[in-house]
Amino acid sequence: LNFWKGCPMRRNARERWTFCAVSFVLLLCAATYRPAIDGNSPGEISRFLRWEMANRGIGPIQLLAVEDEGADRFAVFQGEKRPDERYLVRFRQNEDGEYEADGHPMWMYGPYPVRGIYSQALDGDGEVCFAVWNESETLAEVRLQVNDAPEADVPIPAPPSLTIWRLQVAGTEWRLEDRYFDTAGNMLP
């Protein structure tokens, strides 16, 4: 019996099993690892977006804008393989003043109603944020209405520009109507 206790074959099997178990744990950690998500600078935002969008098939990303609105930071970007699509990601400021991603990047609707206008509505905490990314020389104003609230006229700066409109809403269900106008006040088709 003492012969088997010091047997090299038994020791090798134990070492292999330990190696496999440790390798499995490290592999599991690597698969679930998510780097610290922060949006404190355009460089950090770009690194986050490259990591987040790696498997979506849009190719290398180009950061188009980073804008602060209140305690939030918004970034608009596009992918090289889908140049007509725009994406939006929101970063919220934490108690330490650092910006952390609030969810995943979202595809923006557009180009609508004319080429170069992209929009996305975001909700949370009883608030609706409506983001408009403008690349169109004709867009001057968006008129927005949530549920039965009064209509809001939101001026849109010359392109390229990102405009964030905020409205408090009661409850979790809401309906948004948006209409787009040129500088002469004509509704864009």
Side-chain angles (χ1 to χ4, degrees):
L1 224 47
N2 286 338
F3 171 76
W4 289 107
K5 187 173 184 179
C7 178
M9 288 180 60
R10 189 173 220 181
R11 187 178 59 214
N12 285 343
R14 196 173 35 234
E15 288 172 358
R16 285 185 191 138
W17 187 90
T18 302
F19 175 77
C20 289
V22 169
S23 296
F24 176 75
V25 169
L26 290 174
L27 188 60
L28 184 64
C29 289
T32 59
Y33 172 73
R34 184 172 178 126
I37 300 170
D38 50 33
N40 295 320
S41 71
E44 290 174 348
I45 292 171
S46 291
R47 279 191 298 277
F48 163 70
L49 293 174
R50 280 193 304 273
W51 181 82
E52 183 73 23
M53 301 301 286
N55 297 324
R56 293 202 192 176
I58 69 166
I61 62 113
Q62 177 186 1
L63 194 59
L64 301 173
V66 176
E67 299 283 335
D68 290 347
E69 171 63 32
D72 294 340
R73 178 167 286 168
F74 295 86
V76 175
F77 64 99
Q78 73 184 51
E80 190 175 279
K81 290 184 180 177
R82 297 183 189 167
D84 287 337
E85 293 182 0
R86 304 294 179 269
Y87 298 85
L88 176 72
V89 64
R90 178 186 203 171
F91 296 87
R92 293 201 176 209
Q93 198 171 35
N94 64 22
E95 60 276 352
D96 297 328
E98 304 287 322
Y99 287 96
E100 298 175 345
D102 182 39
H104 300 285
M106 299 176 69
W107 174 78
M108 297 182 82
Y109 296 96
Y112 169 83
V114 295
R115 187 159 185 78
I117 301 172
Y118 301 85
S119 62
Q120 180 59 261
L122 306 152
D123 65 351
D125 303 328
E127 177 185 65
V128 173
C129 287
F130 187 72
V132 176
W133 172 249
N134 180 31
E135 296 174 3
S136 170
E137 294 291 337
T138 59
L139 180 64
E141 179 180 83
V142 177
R143 293 186 188 150
L144 300 166
Q145 183 175 19
V146 174
N147 297 336
D148 296 325
E151 190 173 74
D153 297 336
V154 180
I156 305 296
S161 66
L162 175 62
T163 302
I164 306 295
W165 175 75
R166 295 176 183 260
L167 178 73
Q168 298 298 318
V169 293
T172 57
E173 293 189 24
W174 50 272
R175 178 183 41 82
L176 174 74
E177 292 182 27
D178 54 335
R179 295 180 297 149
Y180 300 80
F181 295 85
D182 63 17
T183 54
N186 300 316
M187 191 163 80
L188 296 172

